[in-house]
Each structure stands twice: as C-alpha cells, then as structure tokens.
Amino acid sequence: MKLPEKFTERMKSMLKTEYDAFINAFENSPIYTGIRINTAKEGAKEAVLSAFGDLEPIPWCKDGYYADKSLISGNHPYHMAGLFYFQEPSAMSAVSGLPIEKGDFILDLCAAPGGKSTQAGAALNGSGLLVSNEIVKKRSDILSENIERMGLTNAVVTNETPQKLSEKYIEFFDKIIVDAPCSGEGMFRKEPQAVEEWSIEHTVSCGIRQRHILDCAVKMLKPGGYLIYSTCTFAPEENEKIAAYLIDTYNLEICKTNLDMLECGRTKWSDSEYDMSKTRRIFPHTQKGEGHFLALFKKGGEAVQSCKKEKKPKKPDNVLNDAVSLYRKFEKETLNVKLDGDFVLFGENLYLKPQGINIDKIKVVRCGLHLGICKKNRFEPSHALVLSLKKEDFKTSVNFDYSNSQLKAYLMGEVIDCSGSGWTAVLVNGFPIGWGKASGGRLKNHFPKFMRLKK
C-alpha cells in the first residue's frame, strides 16, 4: 500500500522513534477481525465458544474475540440469530470505556452500521432506552436491521441531523456515544478508498464537522452524564485537539476509563496544556487492531427541563385499539408472555415503544420493538418479535442443531416438515431464528426473503 507522503511525514513527526515499527505494522502485521458476543441473549457466549472453539479474547472488550472470517461466516445460523456481531476489534473500545448502568437513557449519535449501538444495547439488557441515530437514510436502514437481528427491544432508530435532535432532547440522555465521521486513517489497511480521499485539508474539515456534532451532543447530555468520543484516525486535529476544544468550550472534564491496557493520548499533540493522559489510543504496532482514539467526558452543571410531552397519537384510538386486540389474540394463542407498554401504530405496523421518549416530529426508522403487521383483520408477527424472545416464551417451537440440513433448508426459504399447527418459532440450539406457520405436517416458511441463503 502506498501511503500519502504528507501522512507519512506527519506520522514520522508524531511518533519519532516508533515510526519504523508503525510503518512495519502497516505493511506486515495481520489485519484482525473480531466478533462481539451478544450478551443480551442468555447463553450466547457459551454457545458461540462451543461452536467455534478456543478464540483469543480482545483485551479491551470482555465479550469480544479475535476471529477468522473465513471460518466464521455471516451465514452461520448463530450470526443470523443475533448471537454475535462482526466488529473491528479497535471499535469495541469506545463502549467498553463508557460506564453504562441499567436503566440509562443512551444516545448513539452517529450509529450506523450499529456495532456500538448493539454493544450498548447488550449492556442495557432491555432496561432504559437506546436511541440510535444515523443521518444517511440508507445507512439508517442497515442500522435498524442490525438492531433487529440482535433482538433489542428498547431501541428507537432515528434518521435525523444532530442539530434537530439537540433542539428537542435538551439534557435528556445519561450517556452519549459520538463515534464521529473522520478521515479514516486508522482504516487505511481495510478501506483503500480512505487513502485515495485523504488530505491534510480533509482532516481539518473533519475536525470542523466533529466540533459541530459534539456541540449538539453536549446539549443533549444530562449534568453528571458521560460522553464518549471516538474516531478511527490518527490525526491530532480530530483527536486530542477536539478533546481540548470540548474542555475549553463546555463544562466537561476528561475522565479515566477502565482501559489501562491501551496507550495514553499525547498532551503535546493537543496544542494545549490540558493533560491528555486519560484519553486512549490504539496503534497497529502496539495492539492487535487498527487505529483508534477515544476520550471519556463527564458533564457538570445543573439540569434544565427536557423535551416537551408527547402529543396524543394522530390516529383515532379505535384504530390502535383494534390493532392491539389483533396482537393480543395472536399473543394468547402463540406466546407464554404478555408484552406491555406504549403501543404505537405506523400504518399497518404495530410497535411497542420504549417509555419516556417523545418522538413527535422526529424521523423514525424503528420505534422500539416491531411486533408485526395488522391487516385484513389478522396479525402477522414480525421477524423482530421472534428474535426478541426466548425459547420458553413460545407455545409451539421446533428446534434444530446449527448443522442440521432441515435448518439449512429453512434458511434457504424452503418448506420443511413440522407437526402441529399455527405460528411456530424456529430455533437453532434453543435460540429463536425465525417464524413458520405449521399446517398438515409442513411448516410454511416466514424467514425474511432478503436474509435467505442462496441455493
């Protein structure tokens, strides 16, 4: 790989005696892949490690492991059932450094494709609220799909600008994740396009955009709340200098994380006298991961009034009530659990919205748990619903080992043998993976078409 000359000059000036080791890592060290196990699914870690053998742990993420993607495929049933998520090892560090507590209201402001959101969601384990935002519509759809696959029930996916969100959710969130769009220097080895697009001017323009995003984020953070800022670049203009900007501009202090295994940021790269030793960096010549930076901040001050109360639903109550009645009928016939909360109807789609969040006049891609579709006086359950439940939650299910040929046929969209009748959950080693509808000894396939394996 031919690196930009001005990039290598800057890195040589920054790293001095470490530079040769840094360049050698770029040219010769392996490119690492990671999986992060979804602990929101009970028993997932034991199942994944049993299936894939002795995986090397990632030091800065207790649920992360180095993995060979040629041996662990995205087509594996455990991946399709949401037991694990492919993620760059370095990218797991940011949420690992955020002190998440049960019941927190968390915002992931630049969330696609969803690695950090699903990591935060697993830590919440169904409690509190997760708002995952992505400004690009196509990317927000991918984000929503990953939220669904991991079985998160308390997540709202939005497609808004940081500015719009900051005008509505004033000092609303306990924790905020800002994995900011950056020049991507840390991903040069994995994304050659980032090399072609790189320039010193680009790093400066990224710093300007990052400041704007953080200006919005700080407005949404509660006093006493924590903000984690991260990038996948080496540029001080986007890292230590941004940290110094936050301290200069707002009532924020840099906090120590629990990531002592990572290198400290450098005060001399910040153009300030602030101590950057509590920030963290990952370099490919010192860790098994690509370039990364993170800094944890705590906000001082006193709380102000948050967003306005949500307006009443625009749809007549009887329309929503009819939809809920259809769901309740399905629930009584099919499930062993009763789900309660704020039911919301978007067209024919019924959702269970997390409580405490006002979504009026916000572009929403996913409003909590998608229960299913109500049409023609019948209810059809969603794929999100089956992935959000446990094996004991279903009255009727069929269970296969992940290597079973019948399961493979199901994942390819075929009709398979099945006794019983009505909606039936398909399980892989006890983990829900999809729906089918049993009748006459056969199971009509309801696995999503876009997810099906190719024949």
Side-chain angles (χ1 to χ4, degrees):
M1 177 198 307
K2 182 171 176 55
L3 296 170
E5 184 177 350
K6 288 187 177 180
F7 169 77
T8 57
E9 288 175 355
R10 191 202 64 201
M11 294 307 299
K12 192 169 187 176
S13 174
M14 287 171 59
L15 293 174
K16 301 190 184 327
T17 58
E18 293 181 67
Y19 177 75
D20 288 343
F22 172 79
I23 289 298
N24 183 60
F26 255 81
E27 296 175 349
N28 301 311
S29 69
I31 296 177
Y32 296 97
T33 299
I35 62 169
R36 180 178 42 76
I37 296 175
N38 181 16
T39 55
K41 292 185 180 286
E42 186 178 348
K45 179 171 283 192
E46 293 80 1
V48 171
L49 295 181
S50 175
F52 301 134
D54 188 20
L55 301 178
E56 180 185 354
I58 295 172
W60 50 85
C61 179
K62 62 184 178 64
D63 303 312
Y65 295 85
Y66 293 102
D68 186 341
K69 206 167 185 177
S70 66
L71 301 177
I72 303 177
S73 166
N75 288 334
H76 193 283
Y78 281 176
H79 182 261
M80 302 173 87
L83 270 63
F84 66 91
Y85 186 102
F86 283 107
Q87 192 173 8
E88 155 60 36
S90 296
M92 300 180 195
S93 62
V95 175
S96 295
L98 185 63
I100 295 174
E101 299 177 355
K102 296 290 178 65
D104 276 344
F105 277 27
I106 297 178
L107 168 66
D108 187 356
L109 190 50
C110 314
K116 293 176 177 65
S117 279
T118 55
Q119 189 176 357
L124 287 175
N125 198 21
S127 69
L129 168 72
L130 173 65
V131 176
S132 299
N133 181 69
E134 172 55 47
I135 193 172
V136 179
K137 181 59 172 71
K138 182 179 286 189
R139 285 170 56 83
S140 71
D141 291 336
I142 295 170
L143 168 64
S144 182
E145 290 170 8
N146 282 322
I147 292 285
E148 174 176 289
R149 183 171 60 84
M150 303 303 270
L152 302 185
T153 61
N154 59 334
V156 173
V157 178
T158 57
N159 171 221
E160 281 291 0
T161 64
Q163 181 70 35
K164 178 70 176 289
L165 293 177
S166 70
E167 292 169 356
K168 186 177 185 67
Y169 300 113
I170 301 169
E171 297 194 337
F172 183 73
F173 295 99
D174 301 291
K175 312 282 162 63
I176 296 180
I177 304 161
V178 179
D179 182 48
C182 68
S183 57
E185 296 173 0
M187 299 303 289
F188 277 177
R189 299 199 305 160
K190 287 189 173 184
E191 299 175 7
Q193 184 180 352
V195 180
E196 298 173 7
E197 296 174 350
W198 185 90
S199 68
I200 291 291
E201 293 75 20
H202 182 44
T203 65
V204 173
S205 66
C206 284
I208 294 170
R209 178 167 57 173
Q210 289 152 2
R211 284 174 172 83
H212 170 69
I213 292 171
L214 288 165
D215 289 341
C216 298
V218 172
K219 292 178 183 177
M220 292 185 276
L221 185 63
K222 290 180 182 178
Y226 289 89
L227 182 153
I228 193 88
Y229 172 72
S230 67
T231 71
C232 58
T233 188
F234 303 112
E237 293 81 4
E238 303 174 65
N239 295 333
E240 285 90 351
K241 291 182 183 180
I242 295 295
Y245 165 77
L246 285 173
I247 300 169
D248 275 335
T249 311
Y250 298 105
N251 185 14
L252 296 174
E253 62 171 320
I254 298 181
C255 299
K256 189 180 187 314
T257 69
N258 59 348
L259 304 176
D260 292 337
M261 74 292 294
L262 302 181
E263 285 197 40
C264 301
R266 317 289 172 90
T267 299
K268 60 186 176 182
W269 297 342
S270 67
D271 282 355
S272 74
E273 294 182 357
Y274 297 123
D275 181 8
M276 294 291 159
S277 63
K278 292 179 181 177
T279 67
R280 290 289 179 263
R281 276 185 175 264
I282 297 176
F283 290 101
H285 67 290
T286 58
Q287 297 282 0
K288 294 180 178 179
E290 304 306 303
H292 219 76
F293 171 86
L294 63 94
L296 178 67
F297 299 88
K298 185 175 183 179
K299 186 177 184 179
E302 297 181 359
V304 300
Q305 184 178 359
S306 189
C307 58
K308 297 177 181 179
K309 292 183 179 180
E310 189 166 9
K311 294 181 180 179
K312 292 182 179 180
K314 295 179 181 179
K315 286 184 175 292
D317 286 346
N318 62 317
V319 175
L320 177 60
N321 290 340
D322 288 346
V324 174
S325 295
L326 287 175
Y327 168 72
R328 289 298 189 206
K329 182 176 183 295
F330 160 85
E331 187 180 62
K332 184 176 180 180
E333 294 172 348
T334 312
L335 304 180
N336 295 318
V337 292
K338 183 177 181 181
L339 303 180
D340 287 311
D342 295 336
F343 289 93
V344 180
L345 195 61
F346 284 91
E348 297 178 326
N349 292 280
L350 185 66
Y351 287 82
L352 196 62
K353 183 178 73 67
Q355 295 183 338
I357 177 74
N358 175 349
I359 57 171
D360 184 50
K361 296 183 180 178
I362 294 293
K363 287 188 283 186
V364 176
V365 180
R366 177 174 296 272
C367 179
L369 175 60
H370 184 208
L371 298 172
I373 300 174
C374 305
K375 55 184 179 182
K376 298 180 181 178
N377 294 319
R378 64 183 176 86
F379 179 84
E380 185 170 309
S382 71
H383 189 59
L385 179 60
V386 73
L387 292 178
S388 72
L389 298 172
K390 303 186 290 292
K391 62 181 180 180
E392 58 266 26
D393 295 334
F394 304 100
K395 291 186 184 297
T396 306
S397 64
V398 55
N399 187 35
F400 299 104
D401 182 77
Y402 64 78
S403 60
N404 188 283
S405 59
Q406 281 281 84
L407 177 65
K408 184 176 181 180
Y410 169 78
L411 295 176
M412 294 172 69
E414 297 177 10
V415 175
I416 61 174
D417 296 334
C418 180
S419 60
S421 63
W423 288 104
T424 300
V426 179
L427 313 178
V428 51
N429 295 98
F431 297 97
I433 197 170
W435 287 111
K437 201 166 187 180
S439 178
R442 306 286 278 166
L443 189 74
K444 183 179 179 182
N445 200 302
H446 283 264
F447 192 69
K449 291 182 180 180
F450 74 94
M451 293 178 63
R452 292 176 181 177
L453 300 178
K454 293 181 180 179
K455 296 183 180 180

